[in-house]
């Protein structure tokens, strides 16, 4: 008999031991079995269903208390989730390389990782009702650096429900022997329920996607910009994951990416692919008081993708570029005080969407002089629009990076705000700079007519000091 064969017989042995042990020892054995299943990789081979069914049946005879059985199992399971999470944090990428872990089917690992990536803390709730997955998912959460406080509420709700369901099934049975015969059907019921829930969740997800696509109107037009099929992208603005995707080029390094996306990396990649579809180029509009409109265009050209930041006025024949975020980047296009001024301007319907405007235009920023409250302002926007766990840390990283270009020095000259960026359309020294009259009008639109030549960033602070 191999070690794994012996493990397979452990539930029946434990069930028999429960019936012969005094109550205190039975509770201890129950807690040990549940904890072992949750914490140890060996637990993936030792389902606790039989043990809980037996404990429930013993409660029916009066040998154990049903509420105590549920409480013991739930507490042990929740403690197991916590310890499994800690184990995952400690092992990281080595989690799957241990001798026992390699015996777990690769498909089970993939399902656990996909569940965690797509649903975050909810994965812990769902997996609690599925053998093997309930062992792997908290480990995966720890290995992918999902904070424990993010999964703890789901564990606290799922564990008593799981314990009540399985112990309750045993309590309904007339005897421990009958409980053992129920193990197979009960397991099948649990798996069928989990499968039905997964199918339902997928159907709801597809329905939401169809609804989102349904509200995207027909093709848009931007004067002088005829590169591709432009569509209204405003439906994306209500998706928390859109914002770290949109700010992706400003999130440099593995640490910044991990802080922004956490366990949602796979879902973020799916969203990025949707944003980058060649047949639909999402466009986002930001209107300004003087009548100008800033367009943020996802330019999904094959072999030359990027995001264009354009500004237009009805009297112009064509929109003008102020920044280009791609492999041949052009920028910066805005100073910090201009970004703040644009963010607080009301939309045509009278509403002011400060946080959305601030984050949408942030990649066009490049300024060595930031206000003292820059980190706090950006943190507030990230906290309002995203599900980032540590928005203040991500805000510091974003302000330190500021797009693909070096932060520029801005100053007022002849009524225009210009900079010294080597790749900026708003640096008159560059051969590709916008004409002087256009620079003046853009400065007026971004700062307001009374502030175009006198606006100054309050509380100067270097970009480097934000990092």
């Amino acid at each position: 008999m191999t070690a794994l064969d012996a493990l397979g017989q452990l539930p029946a042995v434990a069930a028999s031991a429960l019936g012969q042990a005094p109550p205190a020892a039975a509770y201890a054995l129950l807690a040990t079995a549940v904890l072992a299943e949750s914490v140890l990789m060996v637990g993936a081979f030792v389902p606790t269903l039989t043990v809980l069914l037996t404990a429930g049946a013993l409660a029916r005879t009066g040998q154990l208390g049903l509420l105590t059985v549920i409480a013991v199992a739930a507490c042990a399971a929740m403690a197991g989730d916590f310890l499994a999470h800690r184990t995952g944090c400690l092992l990281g990428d080595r989690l799957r390389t241990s001798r026992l872990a390699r015996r777990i089917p690769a498909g089970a690992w993939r399902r656990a990782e996909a569940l965690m990536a797509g649903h975050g803390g909810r994965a812990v709730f769902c997996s609690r009702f599925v053998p093997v997955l309930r062992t792997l998912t908290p480990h995966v959460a720890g290995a992918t650096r999902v904070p424990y406080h993010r999964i703890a509420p789901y564990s606290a709700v799922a564990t008593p429900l799981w314990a009540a369901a399985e112990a309750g099934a045993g309590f309904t049975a007339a005897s421990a022997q009958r409980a053992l015969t129920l193990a197979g059907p009960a397991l099948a019921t649990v798996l069928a329920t989990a499968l039905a829930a997964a199918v339902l969740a997928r159907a709801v997800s597809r329905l939401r996607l169809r609804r989102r696509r349904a509200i995207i109107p027909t093709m848009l037009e931007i004067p002088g910009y005829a590169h591709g099929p432009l569509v209204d992208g405003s439906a994306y603005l209500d998706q928390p994951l859109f914002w770290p995707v949109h700010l992706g080029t400003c999130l440099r390094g593995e640490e910044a990416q991990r802080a922004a996306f956490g366990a949602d990396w796979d879902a973020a990649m799916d969203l990025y692919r949707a944003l980058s579809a060649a047949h639909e180029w999402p466009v986002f509009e930001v209107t300004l008081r003087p009548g100008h409109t800033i367009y943020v265009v996802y330019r999904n050209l094959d072999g030359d993708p990027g995001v264009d930041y354009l500004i237009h006025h009805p009297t112009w024949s064509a929109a003008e570029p102020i920044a280009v975020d791609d492999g041949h980047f052009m920028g910066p296009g805005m100073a910090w005080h201009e970004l703040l001024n644009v963010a607080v301007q009301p939309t045509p319907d009278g509403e002011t969407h400060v946080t959305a405007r601030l984050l949408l235009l942030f990649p066009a920023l490049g300024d060595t002089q930031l206000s003292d409250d820059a980190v706090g302002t950006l943190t507030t926007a990230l906290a309002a629009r995203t599900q980032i766990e540590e928005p203040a840390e991500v805000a510091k990283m974003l302000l330190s990076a500021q797009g693909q270009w070096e932060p520029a020095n801005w100053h007022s000259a002849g009524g225009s705000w210009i900079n010294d960026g080597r790749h900026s359309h708003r640096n008159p020294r560059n051969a590709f700079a916008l004409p002087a009259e256009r620079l003046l009008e853009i400065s007026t639109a971004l700062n307001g007519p009374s502030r175009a030549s006198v606006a100054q960033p309050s509380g100067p602070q270097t970009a480097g000091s934000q990092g």
Side-chain angles (χ1 to χ4, degrees):
M1 178 183 297
T2 66
L4 289 180
D5 291 335
L7 289 174
Q9 296 182 12
L10 187 56
V13 173
S16 177
L18 279 178
Q20 301 176 16
Y27 292 133
L29 181 59
L30 172 62
T32 300
V34 172
L35 191 63
E37 183 195 36
S38 299
V39 177
L40 304 176
M41 286 301 173
V42 68
F45 303 99
V46 188
T48 54
L49 178 62
T50 303
V51 176
L52 268 170
L53 287 171
T54 302
L58 293 173
R60 175 70 176 268
T61 66
Q63 186 173 338
L64 300 176
L66 181 60
L67 293 181
T68 305
V69 167
I70 295 172
V72 168
C75 289
M78 190 169 181
D81 285 348
F82 170 76
L83 294 174
H85 179 272
R86 296 304 303 159
T87 301
C89 286
L90 292 173
L91 294 179
D93 295 337
R94 296 173 295 165
L95 181 65
R96 295 178 58 171
T97 60
S98 68
R99 184 175 180 181
L100 280 172
R102 288 197 300 268
R103 291 184 175 273
I104 298 173
W109 281 108
R110 286 194 295 269
R111 285 191 292 274
E113 290 167 347
L115 193 62
M116 178 54 62
H119 301 282
R122 295 187 298 273
V124 174
F125 180 94
C126 297
S127 64
R128 170 49 52 184
F129 302 92
V130 184
V132 181
L133 284 186
R134 62 171 165 253
T135 298
L136 301 184
T137 304
H139 286 84
V140 171
T144 54
R145 297 298 187 267
V146 175
Y148 178 70
H149 66 79
R150 184 174 171 183
I151 71 171
Y154 298 96
S155 177
V157 173
T159 50
L161 291 177
W162 163 75
E166 296 197 353
F171 184 84
T172 303
S175 66
Q177 181 62 38
R178 185 177 177 185
L180 286 172
T181 65
L182 286 175
L187 178 59
T189 300
V190 170
L191 291 175
T193 302
L195 179 60
V199 171
L200 178 61
R202 187 172 182 84
V204 170
S205 177
R206 288 180 174 176
L207 178 61
R208 287 177 177 173
L209 181 60
R210 285 198 296 270
R211 287 178 176 176
R212 179 178 62 77
R213 288 176 174 172
I215 66 174
I216 295 179
T218 55
M219 300 303 169
L220 304 177
E221 291 186 3
I222 300 175
Y225 189 95
H227 300 316
L230 309 181
V231 298
D232 178 15
S234 59
Y236 287 106
L237 300 180
D238 293 327
Q239 299 185 35
L241 201 54
F242 165 76
W243 299 105
V245 171
H246 179 65
L247 299 169
T249 56
C250 304
L251 294 165
R252 299 175 186 168
E254 183 179 346
E255 180 182 357
Q257 296 282 336
R258 184 165 56 244
F261 294 104
D264 297 325
W265 177 257
D266 288 343
M269 290 301 97
D270 289 340
L271 179 57
Y272 174 75
R273 284 188 282 271
L275 284 165
S276 305
H279 66 285
E280 290 183 349
W281 295 13
V283 177
F284 306 88
E285 299 183 16
V286 176
T287 55
L288 306 179
R289 286 194 196 96
H292 298 74
T293 300
I294 297 177
Y295 295 99
V296 181
V297 183
Y298 273 71
R299 173 179 25 88
N300 298 328
L301 280 173
D302 185 20
D304 187 27
V307 180
D308 294 332
Y309 293 79
L310 312 166
I311 187 168
H312 182 256
H313 188 270
T315 61
W316 300 358
S317 60
E320 301 282 12
I322 58 173
V324 178
D325 190 3
D326 64 7
H328 308 284
F329 58 86
M330 304 293 289
M334 300 181 72
W336 175 250
H337 63 273
E338 293 176 332
L339 179 60
L340 294 181
N341 183 58
V342 170
V344 299
Q345 294 188 23
T347 59
D349 58 11
E351 296 185 16
T352 300
H353 303 287
V354 178
T355 56
R357 286 168 167 249
L358 185 71
L359 296 180
L360 189 62
L361 298 178
F362 183 87
L365 171 70
D367 195 345
T368 58
Q369 298 293 314
L370 303 174
S371 60
D372 292 332
D373 62 350
V375 172
T377 300
L378 190 55
T379 298
T380 299
L382 291 172
R385 290 280 171 176
T386 75
Q387 295 177 348
I388 293 173
E389 294 289 339
E390 300 292 342
E393 291 302 313
V394 175
K396 292 178 183 178
M397 295 174 183
L398 288 169
L399 289 169
S400 176
Q402 291 190 42
Q404 299 193 69
W405 37 79
E406 293 292 329
N409 296 298
W410 291 81
H411 66 279
S412 179
S416 296
W417 276 93
I418 60 177
N419 66 62
D420 61 358
R422 293 180 300 168
H423 307 283
S424 178
H425 291 289
R426 295 181 67 187
N427 179 1
R429 293 179 178 272
N430 293 328
F432 47 82
L434 295 172
E437 63 274 12
R438 193 67 86 216
L439 290 175
L440 177 59
E441 188 171 355
I442 290 173
S443 293
T444 302
L446 297 180
N447 293 277
S450 63
R451 299 180 57 197
S453 61
V454 298
Q456 295 287 345
S458 60
Q461 191 175 74
T462 65
S465 66
Q466 295 289 342

